[in-house]
Amino acid sequence: MTAIDLDRMTPIWHAGVGREPIPIVFDAPTGRLFTADARSDTVTVLDARTGDRLTEIGVGAYPAGLGHHLGLRRIFCGDTAGSTISVIDADRLEPIGSIPAELGAGSIAIDLRRDRGYCANFMAASLTVFDATTLRPLGRIPVGRGPCKVSADPTFDRLYVANSLDNTVTLLSLPEGRIGGRFPVERAPVGVAVSREGRRVYVCNRGAGTISVLDADTGTETHRIQVEYGPGDCVVEGGAGRLLVSNAGSGTLTVVDRPWLPGPAPPTRHAAVGRALPHFALPDLRTGRIRTTREWAEKKYVINFFASW
């Protein structure tokens, strides 16, 4: 994990955690960071100030989501391969229970008004609703295909779900537990965050390298923000309201000032992008067989393009 000074835009510390850390949760009262390490089946706990590793906590198989209930002092972890939600005591740093979910359990959002949790089940195209106090499952809500991220908006009592395989965002009313709309975005939305006042929703389109900015009242896309490759998730900074975007495909962090305003137009694409390959007939490097455009289109072999200049 890397900590970054947002004033100087420089790394402060790097800390080793488990393999494939995905989400992060910050517990302000203790100054601790929790990260779910998907390929280690652990949650690593760090000192947020120094990056020192405090402990590792064993959870279910392939943990890929974290939720935080500050009042109950609990961390909830979605175990993707285990179809469960592991529950951790945020003070004692030990597991205290498990909640049944569905296949692909991952991202978790907490409704603090009702002490309810919502876990996105990627493979089951659903949300598991659970009682954060008693740890009882309360029901199942079908959503779009491939739900990757859930984010609660306490201002307007809403929940947003990024459906990565449908290229949509589902809106859920928290008081009624009903779906209130489904809004189209760009390719493979995997992250979602809500502005502090609840008026805008920012959606990370991993397959397009963009952020869709939605009007929360109408669900319409007001503009798009070009970022770098594979944006995986985003968060709105508490102070200046800047949007912080983690780009999994390029290993970078994009910081967007005033994300509620349209930015510069994206760069013009090269004229050749999207056009069909010209006809060719080339010898196979391994066998000498003549390969053609048609065989390429039928995916019968792989072309290794190498360009030098």
Side-chain angles (χ1 to χ4, degrees):
M1 183 190 299
T2 301
I4 297 174
D5 185 313
L6 292 177
D7 294 321
R8 300 179 180 179
M9 295 298 174
T10 55
I12 303 172
W13 50 253
H14 301 278
V17 293
R19 292 182 299 164
E20 198 175 337
I22 298 180
I24 299 171
V25 158
F26 175 61
D27 183 49
T30 61
R32 294 169 179 162
L33 288 168
F34 295 78
T35 177
D37 313 313
R39 294 177 59 200
S40 296
D41 298 342
T42 58
V43 169
T44 299
V45 187
L46 303 176
D47 184 307
R49 185 178 59 85
T50 63
D52 293 337
R53 184 188 298 212
L54 303 177
T55 189
E56 283 185 351
I57 304 168
V59 291
Y62 205 89
L66 289 177
H68 183 210
H69 196 304
L70 184 63
L72 295 177
R73 309 297 302 131
R74 289 174 177 176
I75 305 292
F76 299 91
C77 180
D79 309 317
T80 299
S83 303
T84 57
I85 302 165
S86 297
V87 188
I88 297 170
D89 186 298
D91 295 315
R92 300 200 306 268
L93 303 182
E94 60 185 23
I96 58 172
S98 179
I99 304 168
E102 293 190 285
L103 189 59
S107 177
I108 296 174
I110 303 297
D111 175 7
L112 296 175
R113 292 185 184 179
R114 300 163 188 84
D115 292 334
R116 288 180 182 174
Y118 293 80
C119 177
N121 304 304
F122 182 87
M123 301 298 292
S126 68
L127 300 179
T128 293
V129 188
F130 61 91
D131 189 309
T133 302
T134 65
L135 308 186
R136 293 185 302 107
L138 299 177
R140 176 185 189 274
I141 301 175
V143 290
R145 294 182 304 145
C148 267
K149 178 70 185 292
V150 284
S151 184
D153 169 27
T155 303
F156 290 100
D157 236 4
R158 297 167 176 166
L159 186 80
Y160 295 93
V161 186
N163 307 307
S164 62
L165 301 182
D166 276 350
N167 302 332
T168 61
V169 172
T170 297
L171 164 65
L172 184 79
S173 170
L174 288 173
E176 295 85 15
R178 296 178 182 175
I179 292 178
R182 188 167 292 166
F183 315 126
V185 289
E186 286 205 284
R187 296 189 305 276
V190 297
V192 60
V194 185
S195 64
R196 291 174 296 171
E197 79 290 347
R199 294 296 182 188
R200 294 172 184 85
V201 181
Y202 302 103
V203 184
C204 295
N205 302 307
R206 183 163 183 161
T210 62
I211 305 297
S212 289
V213 183
L214 306 181
D215 182 296
D217 291 326
T218 64
T220 57
E221 185 181 80
T222 59
H223 59 282
R224 294 175 187 170
I225 302 170
Q226 190 75 36
V227 290
E228 295 195 48
Y229 297 116
D233 206 355
C234 59
V235 65
V236 178
E237 183 192 5
R242 294 181 294 185
L243 184 69
L244 313 179
V245 184
S246 58
N247 304 298
S250 57
T252 59
L253 177 74
T254 296
V255 181
V256 184
D257 285 315
R258 297 183 296 178
W260 53 89
L261 298 177
T268 304
R269 295 200 310 173
H270 191 280
V273 174
R275 293 174 56 187
L277 286 172
H279 177 73
F280 61 84
L282 298 171
D284 189 300
L285 184 63
R286 187 170 61 87
T287 66
R289 175 181 170 181
I290 299 299
R291 299 289 194 174
T292 67
T293 313
R294 178 171 180 175
E295 289 180 292
W296 163 251
E298 293 172 351
K299 299 180 176 60
K300 292 184 178 180
Y301 68 100
V302 175
I303 297 178
N304 180 16
F305 286 108
F306 178 77
S308 63
W309 56 88

